[in-house]
Amino acid sequence: MLGLGVPPVPLSSLSTQAARLLATTTKSEPQMQAITSRNLLRAMPWVDVAAGTYRVNRRLALKTGPGRVLFVQQGADQVRVVPGSLDALPALRDYPDQDVLTEIAARFEPRHIRSGDLLAHQGQPVEEVFLIAHGRLERIVAGKYGEPQLLGVVTDGAHLGDEAHLRPGAEWSATLRAATDTTLLVLPWARYREILDRTPSLRTHTDAFRSRAKRAVNRKGEAEIAVSAGHHGEPPLPTSFVDYELAPREYELSLAQTVLQVHTRVADLYNDPMDQLQQQLRLTVEELRERQEHEIVNNREFGLLHNAAYEQRISTRSGPPTPDDLDQLLAMRRSTHAFFAHPKVIAAFLSECNSRGLHPDPVEVNGRKVPAWRGVPIYPCSKIPVSDTYTSTIMAMRFGEKQQGVIGLRPQELPEEVESGLNVRFMGVNQQAVMRYLVTAYFSAAVLVPDALGLLENCQIGAAA
């Protein structure tokens, strides 16, 4: 052995290391670990936008859905509501006086309740407004034979009791029970009425809200179209018209772009057997498409997680996503074409199915098997974030313009386009002999009606200890 002073055995033929110096190796294209399946981009229908902006026209909606209230924690046991976020309450929507909102916010007092405590009983008069700063409350009603039935769960940012704005003497429609230790902010209605009585602008705003609420609406909160049915003879028919939103939402195309630099010496001398410019461009496009999917999920302006209507968001009942939770999510829209979830959430859901003895049948999509529930495919999407508390979200959506669903937006035509919605423009050669190319992807996404997109939030991915 060499380490013991034994001379090495002389070679009788050329070594492979030396032979490689004169041989042409068989090589792969440059590989990239960050490439994912990008199921969302593949599944979404794409609409070509000619003018760079897409307008979503809707019928006039008179019933505004609830929003989410924001909080600031000042200490271990002190929390207060952000005054500007009180417009999440329908009765305060678009109220302009921030000083009055600040005074209302100051009247809320923190209250801590333990798991299992009852906060309100079904049928009792509503005397307080509750804002959930942290925790989980269950809404329970008495069934036909007096048995308790769980209606649903409300969590951080939700508010309860503000419906008393519309009906003086309103009663709780469900019993509220804490599923976890919960921190609330509580405002007695008597304190709110003190502010209401001495603030003319707030009274005017509240009266206008009550007036809108009295107008006839359909089950989706849209202005009703008067129709007569089942009549005989020649009675006078009702007259009506379809009213539209006067300020419809417009989606401008967003973009992701970068400048690709390639030295002319590399492009001239090292293009055999692979074109270096082509390989550089291929990997750059892959990265832009990954960023495109991330933006469609997470962008605060048009991203799906931030633009789902609050009434289309529900929370898991017990922590991990269960078949019951997905059934409730399915029941919130007339048709669901796909679920999207982080791979760890899918694993947690399948674990819950296993614990119940359920084995959901997969469905075949484009020749491959995909996990499914009730025949709706569940696609993995790693762009959906997992929070620091190991929770994530499942998205359920309906696709297409004709279905009034979720659509992707891209430009109709681009100069120097290499793929749909993506172009590469030569920017010249600088004095260092470096060629520069501007690579740009244009895109956006739109939710045509609120029930096209639903979220199952607070899905725990960790196993119970």
Side-chain angles (χ1 to χ4, degrees), residues 366-429:
N366 297 326
R368 64 189 181 98
K369 297 288 187 179
V370 177
W373 178 250
R374 307 290 190 192
V376 179
I378 307 174
Y379 293 104
C381 180
S382 59
K383 309 306 188 301
I384 301 176
V386 175
S387 71
D388 295 338
T389 56
Y390 301 101
T391 60
S392 188
T393 301
I394 295 177
M395 299 191 299
M397 61 186 76
R398 181 176 65 249
F399 289 129
E401 277 189 308
K402 291 184 178 179
Q403 296 291 331
Q404 298 184 105
V406 178
I407 58 173
L409 306 176
R410 65 187 180 191
Q412 187 174 32
E413 187 177 356
L414 288 173
E416 302 177 63
E417 187 175 65
V418 296
E419 292 183 5
S420 296
L422 187 146
N423 66 349
V424 179
R425 312 195 76 167
F426 180 59
M427 299 175 64
V429 182

Side-chain angles (χ1 to χ4, degrees), residues 422-443:
L422 187 146
N423 66 349
V424 179
R425 312 195 76 167
F426 180 59
M427 299 175 64
V429 182
N430 64 17
Q431 292 189 350
Q432 288 75 37
V434 175
M435 297 184 297
R436 307 172 79 233
Y437 295 85
L438 178 64
V439 189
T440 307
Y442 296 94
F443 56 88

Side-chain angles (χ1 to χ4, degrees), residues 38-49 54 253 292-293 296 304 336-338 340 366 379 396-411 420 442-448 452-453:
R38 298 199 289 269
N39 289 307
L40 180 60
L41 295 188
R42 300 177 195 277
M44 289 178 65
W46 291 89
V47 174
D48 293 334
V49 179
Y54 186 89
L253 292 181
Q292 176 180 345
E293 187 174 62
I296 287 177
L304 300 179
T336 301
H337 294 157
F340 292 90
N366 297 326
Y379 293 104
M397 61 186 76
R398 181 176 65 249
F399 289 129
E401 277 189 308
K402 291 184 178 179
Q403 296 291 331
Q404 298 184 105
V406 178
I407 58 173
L409 306 176
R410 65 187 180 191
S420 296
Y442 296 94
F443 56 88
S444 189
V447 182
L448 299 187
L453 172 64

Side-chain angles (χ1 to χ4, degrees), residues 42-171:
R42 300 177 195 277
M44 289 178 65
W46 291 89
V47 174
D48 293 334
V49 179
T53 301
Y54 186 89
R55 177 181 297 162
V56 178
N57 290 312
R58 292 177 179 172
R59 279 179 60 181
L60 177 64
L62 297 174
K63 182 180 178 182
T64 56
R68 293 281 177 90
V69 184
L70 303 178
F71 302 91
V72 175
Q73 189 171 358
Q74 297 175 309
D77 299 316
Q78 294 184 351
V79 64
R80 62 182 179 85
V81 61
V82 176
S85 71
L86 286 177
D87 68 352
L89 280 65
L92 295 178
R93 186 73 47 85
D94 298 326
Y95 181 65
D97 195 331
Q98 291 298 312
D99 291 337
V100 176
L101 293 179
T102 300
E103 184 178 2
I104 295 173
R107 298 294 184 98
F108 280 91
E109 295 181 351
R111 182 184 299 176
H112 305 280
I113 58 176
R114 294 176 177 251
S115 176
D117 288 351
L118 295 180
L119 190 62
H121 291 272
Q122 182 181 2
Q124 285 185 340
V126 178
E127 297 179 347
E128 295 173 314
V129 180
F130 301 123
L131 307 180
I132 304 176
H134 179 68
R136 186 193 303 262
L137 293 180
E138 296 174 333
R139 299 179 67 245
I140 301 170
V141 297
K144 181 177 180 180
Y145 302 102
E147 75 283 4
Q149 294 184 345
L150 180 63
L151 277 186
V153 175
V154 289
T155 56
D156 301 6
H159 45 86
L160 300 162
D162 55 298
E163 60 267 24
H165 259 298
L166 297 176
R167 295 179 289 114
E171 298 178 347

